[in-house]
Amino acid sequence: MLLIPCPLCGKRSESEFIHGGPVGADRPDPNAVSDAEWVDYLTVAPNPLGPVQEKWWHARGCGEWLTIWRDTRTHDIVEAPDGIK
């Protein structure tokens, strides 16, 4: 089980969190991109190997959103908010 370090609550089980997805590029203006680019933005999820910056919501805890770096090969958290590990 993944233990996610919350800056307010300490290390907590991933079952208390909702995965918000990887931190990505800003949402494009749908009127400024082609239909194919818009469909790709909406439907193609990045799935890189290695460290990925992700958003997590502590839904069953303090309610904070946090950003962590997680290695997708090992699921190890390689960097947590405010240096918490």
Side-chain angles (χ1 to χ4, degrees):
M1 176 185 321
L2 186 63
L3 292 176
I4 298 174
C6 175
L8 299 176
C9 306
K11 286 186 178 181
R12 308 300 294 177
S13 165
E14 70 179 294
S15 64
E16 294 185 11
F17 292 84
I18 294 176
H19 184 246
V23 174
D26 292 335
R27 180 183 174 115
D29 178 358
N31 299 316
V33 296
S34 70
D35 288 345
E37 290 171 320
W38 182 243
V39 169
D40 280 350
Y41 172 78
L42 293 175
T43 61
V44 177
N47 190 20
L49 288 175
V52 175
Q53 190 177 22
E54 298 176 323
K55 299 175 284 188
W56 289 82
W57 177 39
H58 199 177
R60 293 176 188 90
C62 62
E64 287 292 309
W65 276 94
L66 53 132
T67 301
I68 62 172
W69 282 89
R70 183 179 62 87
D71 191 317
T72 59
R73 296 170 293 198
T74 63
H75 297 292
D76 290 337
I77 296 173
V78 293
E79 186 178 332
D82 300 328
I84 298 171
K85 280 243 174 178

